[in-house]
Amino acid sequence: MRPLPTIHIIGAGIGGLTLARCLKNKGIQAILIEKSPSPARHHYGISLQPRTCEALLKVLGMDESTFWGGSVSSSSWTIGSCPRESLDVRWGHVLGDIEIRGAELALSFKEKDEVRSTFLVDTSGVHSAIRKALLPDAQLNILPYVVFRGTRHIDPTFKKIYEPRFEGGNVLEIRKGDALLQILINDRGKNEVGVDISYIYSRPAHQDDQLHQPARELQQAADFSELFFSEASKLQELEDPIKDTFDVDKMRGDRILHWLMRDILVPSDDLKSFAERGIVLIGDAAHATPILGGGGANSALADAVELAEWIASRGLEDVGGFYEKRYGEWELEVKGSEERLVEMHSDSRSSL
């Protein structure tokens, strides 16, 4: 197999970092191009599936005890744990346009020099600028759910109010009427003095629902009306830690985002056509699932590991074959995620 050119990876999230690490482990040079000016300050936890965890441990060269910080019973892992050391990450590159110029790809960025590439992997997620440029008519499927997600740092009262209800786990979930309430432990502070949590309020959208805004712009995720706080105030009749978490006065000081439940599956023929021109889409850029009920992070990790294996063993000539291997699983993931979202909010689940 002839020497491989430098591979450019769009997105330094969990999929991009994993792909770059895998390629580096195999002696293949990669450059990560990320729109954020620096690593994210807000970490979020993900629940790793056993198969994904096993693959990630192999990539990182760690045993389970080291990976979990001595607690292998945990299944929640933060993206901030993914090592960037010795990886070439170009921060602050906001993509403006992509052009195919013969055998080369020309990437233009806002206030940055143009980048030329012969092989590009897009891991930039559901709002992929690459996908939008190549398939301007491909639209995200917006599902009928109202979802808000907040983050908060809990002081030592965590041990008294929260910890007993978690029973050693990382996720607490209950239903109130048609609303699903979740509290997730994202990160424990040093010596467990404090804990970073995220919480989610979700329910099916109602007819003429003012909190369901499928047409809102991405930058409006932090904009929402007082109607949400009004709904949340009705949860004060519940016991702690739900009562404490959804205390409206405390919520007003939190970082809260309005999440839209979206999915998309780029047609296989389009993906293979792009691959012939040196452009590969993986993770949510190719097959997004809803944040709730989906397995986007696990799937992005699996895509990254398998693509690196494919490139290392077969080169760049037949990357379209990678899609033939993965696409059937992607179809099942998208369909299954929609079904799980319905099940999560169904009357058959236990409710308060």
Side-chain angles (χ1 to χ4, degrees), residues 150-167:
T151 56
R152 186 185 305 162
H153 181 79
I154 305 294
D155 61 21
T157 59
F158 176 85
K159 284 188 172 292
K160 178 180 179 181
I161 297 178
Y162 287 76
E163 195 165 56
R165 291 293 303 275
F166 277 88
E167 300 179 342

Side-chain angles (χ1 to χ4, degrees), residues 39-305:
R41 293 184 297 110
H42 303 281
H43 294 166
Y44 56 87
I46 63 172
S47 295
L48 292 179
Q49 299 167 357
R51 184 180 66 173
T52 308
C53 183
E54 182 180 346
L56 193 57
L57 289 173
K58 183 178 178 181
V59 171
L60 300 177
M62 295 181 180
D63 59 27
E64 286 189 82
S65 180
T66 303
F67 182 74
W68 296 121
S71 176
V72 298
S73 62
S74 173
S75 63
S76 182
W77 179 74
T78 62
I79 188 173
S81 305
C82 194
R84 302 179 181 90
E85 293 85 358
S86 74
L87 297 180
D88 187 350
V89 185
R90 311 289 173 87
W91 300 100
H93 281 67
V94 179
L95 185 67
D97 196 13
I98 178 172
E99 292 183 35
I100 300 173
R101 300 176 184 171
E104 277 193 328
L105 305 170
L107 305 173
S108 61
F109 299 90
K110 296 180 180 179
E111 300 180 356
K112 299 288 184 180
D113 293 337
E114 182 179 85
V115 173
R116 298 291 185 92
S117 178
T118 57
F119 195 84
L120 176 73
V121 182
D122 180 16
T123 72
S124 61
V126 65
H127 300 292
S128 163
I130 298 288
R131 186 189 66 237
K132 291 177 182 178
L134 298 174
L135 291 171
D137 294 330
Q139 299 296 316
L140 295 170
N141 177 35
I142 309 298
L143 303 171
Y145 293 88
V146 170
V147 182
F148 290 90
R149 184 254 194 184
T151 56
R152 186 185 305 162
H153 181 79
I154 305 294
D155 61 21
T157 59
F158 176 85
K159 284 188 172 292
K160 178 180 179 181
I161 297 178
Y162 287 76
E163 195 165 56
R165 291 293 303 275
F166 277 88
E167 300 179 342
N170 293 296
V171 180
L172 177 64
E173 177 181 302
I174 67 169
R175 287 187 64 238
K176 172 65 175 175
D178 65 353
L180 177 66
L181 313 173
Q182 296 174 308
I183 308 174
L184 305 92
I185 299 175
N186 290 339
D187 193 20
R188 293 181 183 269
K190 292 183 179 180
N191 302 318
E192 298 190 3
V193 172
V195 174
D196 290 332
I197 67 164
S198 60
Y199 55 88
I200 295 172
Y201 175 94
S202 65
R203 62 166 174 76
H206 304 151
Q207 186 174 2
D208 300 322
D209 197 325
Q210 296 184 52
L211 287 178
H212 182 52
Q213 301 175 15
R216 73 153 175 80
E217 299 294 332
L218 176 61
Q219 59 270 24
Q220 294 175 313
D223 300 336
F224 47 88
S225 71
E226 284 290 315
L227 288 174
F228 169 58
F229 290 125
S230 177
E231 279 196 23
S233 67
K234 299 174 184 177
L235 303 176
Q236 286 302 291
E237 64 189 58
L238 302 180
E239 297 179 354
D240 283 329
I242 297 296
K243 179 179 179 179
D244 184 72
T245 299
F246 290 93
D247 182 319
V248 171
D249 289 337
K250 294 179 180 179
M251 291 172 67
R252 290 184 185 278
D254 295 340
R255 181 175 184 262
I256 300 178
L257 296 177
H258 172 214
W259 276 354
L260 292 178
M261 297 296 100
R262 310 172 170 96
D263 61 21
I264 190 172
L265 180 62
V266 177
S268 176
D269 288 345
D270 288 328
L271 292 170
K272 291 178 181 178
S273 176
F274 301 151
E276 291 175 357
R277 291 177 279 178
I279 305 171
V280 175
L281 278 63
I282 65 172
D284 281 356
H287 57 100
T289 57
I291 302 174
L292 297 183
N298 283 274
S299 188
L301 282 165
D303 287 353
V305 172

